[in-house]
Amino acid sequence: RSVVWAAAVECCGGLADRGKEWHYAYATAYLTAAIRLTMDLLGDIGNADQLTSAREENKVLTDKCKEQSIRIHELKMQVEELKTKNLQLEAELEIYRSEFGGATSNQESKEALLDDGDDEANDFVSSGNGVYASEPEVTLPSIHGQSNPLCCALDQNDTLLATGSADSTLKLTFWGKALAPGDDSASRAVDEAVSVPCGAPVICCSFAQDSQNNHLAAAGCMDGHVRVIYCGSEMKPAVVKSDTEIKHRKYVKCLSWSPAEPVLASASADGTVQITRVCHDASSELGSVSLDVVKTLHFEGAVECLSFLDARTLCCYVRDTSYLSYFDTEEDFKQTKCSLNAKTVGGFDDHVSFAILQMVPSPQGKYIALATDASRHIIMEIGTERIVRNLYGVTHDSFSNPSIAWSQNGQYLYGNCQNENSLIIWDVASTDITKRIETGGHTGFIRGLFSSSRSDTLATVSFDKSAKIWLCQM
């Protein structure tokens, strides 16, 4: 009480004459308020200390998260490097199997080794001669307006460019008009191009290969239809109308014409291949066109790609299989299977770690290039299980659209890349990437490529909505 009274007297000394009890009550109330205020201040200080501590802890955790992110990135890079090395080891294993796995005696092993060495020495022992299309000579901007082009092809003369698009049209363009004088020559060439309605997005397109029917083209569509287009001598294209139609239950994956006659093979995601003979009398325009189904092949999985290799041989790949199927059209489509895993000891290896999404025979007709969804392109000898080369250096997965094409001399392979806009060029002999063209090329993902077998002319279409014609740099 004496302490409280002294505080009261000190704080309220002018009121000492009012009595001790009054001053005691006043001082008590005053000190109570002072204590509460002090406690509030101490509470604020405590909260501030907790906030500062939390901030420091958060900073430490943030720094640790950054360190972990860097470490995770480093680990991902190491994983990608290990994946590449693993693919290379698998390829080397396949080559080893091809050379030694199928031999049942020392003599057979020696003969296989000698055969492989002779073939390789004749074809891919020396690097390419440097002749390939690498100069983007013509750019056709917005060739399908605001829609993305999805595929392209050149006719036998390399003068007429066909492009299919998501806008459900096939456009036919004389790309040489873009070389005319004037800054707007490319735009005029696009404006003068002829559009053929196809009723659904055009996924693939192709011109007939035999010299008597170079006025025929085909477009494979998302609705499962294959539209046959007659170009005509006066360049008035129209979709061929016939009592018979080429129709699959699912979208069309690939088209290929026989090099010797107007026979068209179409592959679909429904697991079928339809071979159709297109009969047309050129002298009567569209009056006598007929589509005659020659054969329909049925498979368990989607037919990802196919190609006529010569007048009598058709090659196909079916998803989730480990082999290429060769069909002899002159022996009722007799099937021969060639393993993609090369020769194996003890029989056929059914394991498959990739899918082939495009196949292109070499200009000389001896090899076939296979584009896979596993960041790997394979060069195989046609009709055998021999893997000649494996090409790496690009990224492709199951959601990708790998596209490849041979140079005219068969020494180089063109390709695209899933995560780049570049045009990639490999030297097949060394398996090295000779050139990765970015500057002056496309500014969007390259969706399709087509290379002429008669000249060093390459056509590409891209998601930058343009088409380009590449020529050999002199």
Side-chain angles (χ1 to χ4, degrees):
R1 288 174 64 90
S2 62
V3 172
V4 172
W5 172 253
V9 171
E10 184 179 352
C11 296
C12 307
L15 302 175
D17 56 343
R18 294 193 178 186
K20 291 183 177 180
E21 293 299 326
W22 189 92
H23 283 292
Y24 176 75
Y26 184 85
T28 301
Y30 179 85
L31 290 174
T32 300
I35 291 170
R36 288 177 179 174
L37 179 61
T38 302
M39 293 301 294
D40 289 342
L41 290 174
L42 291 174
D44 290 342
I45 293 173
N47 290 335
D49 289 341
Q50 290 180 0
L51 181 60
T52 301
S53 176
R55 285 175 176 171
E56 290 299 323
E57 290 178 1
N58 184 59
K59 183 178 178 181
V60 172
L61 290 174
T62 301
D63 292 339
K64 288 184 177 180
C65 288
K66 289 180 179 179
E67 292 176 0
Q68 292 298 322
S69 297
I70 294 173
R71 179 58 179 161
I72 290 172
H73 179 71
E74 292 175 349
L75 290 174
K76 285 182 177 180
M77 295 296 291
Q78 292 176 8
V79 168
E80 291 299 322
E81 184 178 352
L82 289 174
K83 284 182 178 179
T84 301
K85 290 182 179 179
N86 184 56
L87 289 172
Q88 292 173 345
L89 289 174
E90 287 180 354
E92 291 176 4
L93 177 60
E94 289 174 356
I95 293 173
Y96 173 79
R97 285 173 173 173
S98 176
E99 293 176 345
F100 300 104
T104 57
S105 68
N106 291 335
Q107 182 62 30
E108 288 178 354
S109 178
K110 290 178 181 178
E111 290 176 357
L113 183 61
L114 288 174
D115 288 343
D116 286 353
D118 289 343
D119 290 342
E120 197 166 319
N122 290 336
D123 298 313
F124 296 121
V125 69
S126 299
S127 296
N129 58 12
V131 178
Y132 52 84
S134 61
E135 190 70 23
E137 197 69 31
V138 170
T139 299
L140 301 171
S142 302
I143 192 164
H144 284 268
Q146 295 304 309
S147 297
N148 283 319
L150 304 177
C151 57
C152 60
L154 291 168
D155 70 347
Q156 292 187 49
N157 299 319
D158 297 337
T159 57
L160 185 60
L161 173 68
T163 54
S165 172
D167 65 359
S168 302
T169 66
L170 184 76
K171 182 162 282 191
L172 302 171
T173 308
F174 285 105
W175 61 268
K177 293 181 179 180
L179 297 174
D183 295 336
D184 62 342
S185 57
S187 298
R188 288 203 312 271
V190 173
D191 294 339
E192 294 173 6
V194 179
S195 293
V196 182
C198 293
V202 178
I203 302 174
C204 50
C205 60
S206 180
F207 282 100
Q209 296 301 303
D210 64 305
S211 59
Q212 300 299 319
N213 295 279
N214 56 4
H215 48 272
L216 293 174
C221 301
M222 183 67 75
D223 64 356
H225 278 96
V226 177
R227 313 291 182 183
V228 178
I229 294 100
Y230 173 74
C231 298
S233 58
E234 298 181 1
M235 194 51 198
K236 296 180 180 179
V239 175
V240 168
K241 295 182 179 179
S242 174
D243 294 336
T244 304
E245 65 176 2
I246 306 175
K247 177 69 169 70
H248 296 272
R249 294 189 304 275
K250 293 184 179 180
Y251 60 93
V252 181
K253 288 269 194 176
C254 185
L255 299 170
S256 181
W257 290 87
S258 168
E261 54 184 338
V263 173
L264 176 66
S266 55
S268 170
D270 65 5
T272 64
V273 171
Q274 185 167 320
I275 296 91
T276 307
R277 184 179 299 278
V278 182
C279 301
H280 174 248
D281 183 1
S283 63
S284 61
E285 294 296 310
L286 292 174
S288 61
V289 174
S290 63
L291 303 176
D292 300 326
V293 178
V294 176
K295 195 78 170 181
T296 301
L297 307 175
H298 299 271
F299 302 92
E300 293 184 1
V303 184
E304 294 292 342
C305 52
L306 54 71
S307 178
F308 272 105
L309 304 180
D310 52 41
R312 63 180 293 174
T313 308
L314 177 68
C315 183
C316 304
Y317 173 77
V318 180
R319 180 171 282 275
D320 295 329
T321 62
S322 60
Y323 53 85
L324 295 180
S325 294
Y326 293 90
F327 295 93
D328 190 332
T329 61
E330 295 184 4
E331 292 190 16
D332 195 27
F333 289 84
K334 178 183 177 181
Q335 182 182 13
T336 301
K337 298 179 180 179
C338 288
S339 174
L340 292 166
N341 294 321
K343 296 178 181 179
T344 57
V345 177
F348 207 83
D349 188 352
D350 291 328
H351 173 72
V352 60
S353 59
F354 55 82
I356 297 172
L357 302 184
Q358 188 183 11
M359 61 173 62
V360 185
S362 66
Q364 292 75 23
K366 187 175 181 180
Y367 303 99
I368 188 167
L370 309 172
T372 78
D373 62 354
S375 303
R376 169 192 178 195
H377 299 327
I378 305 170
I379 309 296
M380 290 190 73
E381 186 176 10
I382 289 176
T384 74
E385 297 178 347
R386 177 173 169 246
I387 295 176
V388 179
R389 291 290 187 276
N390 287 280
L391 306 180
Y392 299 95
V394 293
T395 301
H396 287 294
D397 59 25
S398 57
F399 298 100
S400 181
N401 291 285
S403 186
I404 55 176
W406 288 89
S407 64
Q408 190 270 337
N409 57 21
Q411 299 174 0
Y412 299 91
L413 194 74
Y414 308 106
N416 61 353
C417 183
Q418 179 179 352
N419 55 4
E420 296 180 28
N421 303 328
S422 309
L423 175 66
I424 316 297
I425 304 173
W426 285 271
D427 181 309
V428 177
S430 67
T431 71
D432 293 333
I433 293 178
T434 298
K435 186 169 288 190
R436 190 184 295 264
I437 302 176
E438 300 176 0
T439 305
H442 288 286
T443 58
F445 168 70
I446 297 177
R447 180 60 169 77
L449 300 93
F450 182 90
S451 180
S452 170
S453 61
R454 293 164 291 276
S455 66
D456 294 306
T457 305
L458 175 71
T460 59
V461 291
S462 165
F463 282 173
D464 62 10
K465 298 179 172 55
S466 73
K468 287 184 182 289
I469 300 295
W470 306 70
L471 301 178
C472 182
Q473 188 174 13
M474 303 303 293

